[in-house]
Amino acid sequence: MDRLESLNRYCKKEELPYRFSILKEFSFEYLAEITDTLDRIMRSKHIEEQHGRGHAFTLEQTKESVKGRYPRTIQFYHNEHCEGCPLRSQCTRSKHRRTLHRTDKLAEMQIEIRENLMTETRQELLKQRSIQAEGIFGQIKQDQEYDRLWRRKKTMVKLELLLVSIGHNLHKYHTHKMQKQKTNQKSHS
């Protein structure tokens, strides 16, 4: 709430037409709206994003990548203020310094996607999607009454899901084979 109050003060001081409501409970949509608004303010004021706890990242190198479907330019940054920082262990696992990489085209696409998702129609579709299980997962949960993982370690969970998937595929294959036999028997009769 303190951050929103200071953001409201900043908008008032800079005579920006934004005022954020300070709610008791924040929804994901509201936080996305605030983020989008901050992006617009920063672009209009030509303010560059900086990451980290108050220390700017320095551009280390720019690299062209053709990995994947589309070529892209990746910018690699590093932070030289990690030495002696008491929060370093929470911020990075690197032995030397904190690094990050950024792709401008990807950032633009993410903003466009966020704006597209903020329309009413898309919001309704997202709401529907969140309450509906994906087809195969729904079949496994409902038809096979499998609604709980019994193992806990990551490798064991992967193994359990693999076995459930194999079982589902075998059941599907068996059902298909039986239907094929029935149609062959009917056609021979």
Side-chain angles (χ1 to χ4, degrees):
M1 279 200 232
D2 294 339
R3 302 257 182 208
L4 280 180
E5 287 172 354
S6 65
L7 182 58
N8 283 336
R9 284 193 299 273
Y10 174 81
C11 289
K12 186 176 181 179
K13 184 180 106 185
E14 295 292 318
E15 297 177 1
L16 295 169
Y18 302 107
R19 173 136 176 76
F20 298 100
S21 172
I22 300 170
L23 305 171
K24 290 186 179 192
E25 234 178 89
F26 292 102
S27 67
F28 174 77
E29 293 82 14
Y30 186 59
L31 292 175
E33 181 184 324
I34 292 170
T35 305
D36 291 341
T37 305
L38 285 173
D39 284 341
R40 282 194 298 275
I41 291 171
M42 289 175 70
R43 279 194 305 258
S44 71
K45 297 270 185 187
H46 305 290
I47 299 171
E48 280 192 43
E49 257 183 81
Q50 291 187 351
H51 302 277
R53 292 198 173 246
H55 296 290
F57 280 72
T58 308
L59 180 64
E60 191 171 303
Q61 73 177 20
T62 301
K63 185 173 149 185
E64 295 292 325
S65 173
V66 289
K67 224 179 194 182
R69 200 178 241 184
Y70 304 104
R72 61 183 179 267
T73 305
I74 304 171
Q75 297 168 324
F76 293 90
Y77 294 87
H78 70 272
N79 188 335
E80 296 181 8
H81 301 281
C82 291
E83 292 299 319
C85 178
L87 302 173
R88 181 178 176 170
S89 63
Q90 297 171 11
C91 193
T92 184
R93 283 182 260 162
S94 170
K95 291 182 180 178
H96 304 289
R97 59 185 174 204
R98 186 167 180 209
T99 60
L100 65 91
H101 63 275
R102 174 187 166 88
T103 307
D104 286 333
K105 186 72 174 167
L106 180 61
E108 289 171 16
M109 291 170 129
Q110 288 172 339
I111 290 169
E112 181 183 341
I113 288 168
R114 240 185 264 128
E115 287 171 356
N116 288 342
L117 289 176
M118 295 311 291
T119 64
E120 263 187 62
T121 311
R122 301 293 170 113
Q123 289 291 316
E124 191 59 38
L125 289 172
L126 277 175
K127 195 184 297 181
Q128 285 299 316
R129 184 171 182 198
S130 69
I131 60 174
Q132 294 174 355
E134 294 287 333
I136 291 173
F137 295 116
Q139 289 172 8
I140 290 171
K141 285 174 71 175
Q142 186 72 33
D143 300 344
Q144 298 176 11
E145 296 179 3
Y146 181 81
D147 60 353
R148 183 168 197 259
L149 291 167
W150 294 98
R151 281 143 185 93
R152 292 292 164 239
K153 287 188 177 179
K154 189 175 183 180
T155 54
M156 297 306 288
V157 166
K158 283 183 179 181
L159 180 63
E160 184 177 344
L161 288 173
L162 179 66
L163 289 171
V164 168
S165 300
I166 290 170
H168 176 75
N169 288 336
L170 284 172
H171 182 267
K172 200 169 159 183
Y173 172 74
H174 177 71
T175 305
H176 176 70
K177 190 175 174 184
M178 295 305 287
Q179 285 178 347
K180 197 172 184 180
Q181 281 180 354
K182 282 182 184 178
T183 55
N184 284 342
Q185 286 175 355
K186 286 182 183 178
S187 64
H188 290 304
S189 302

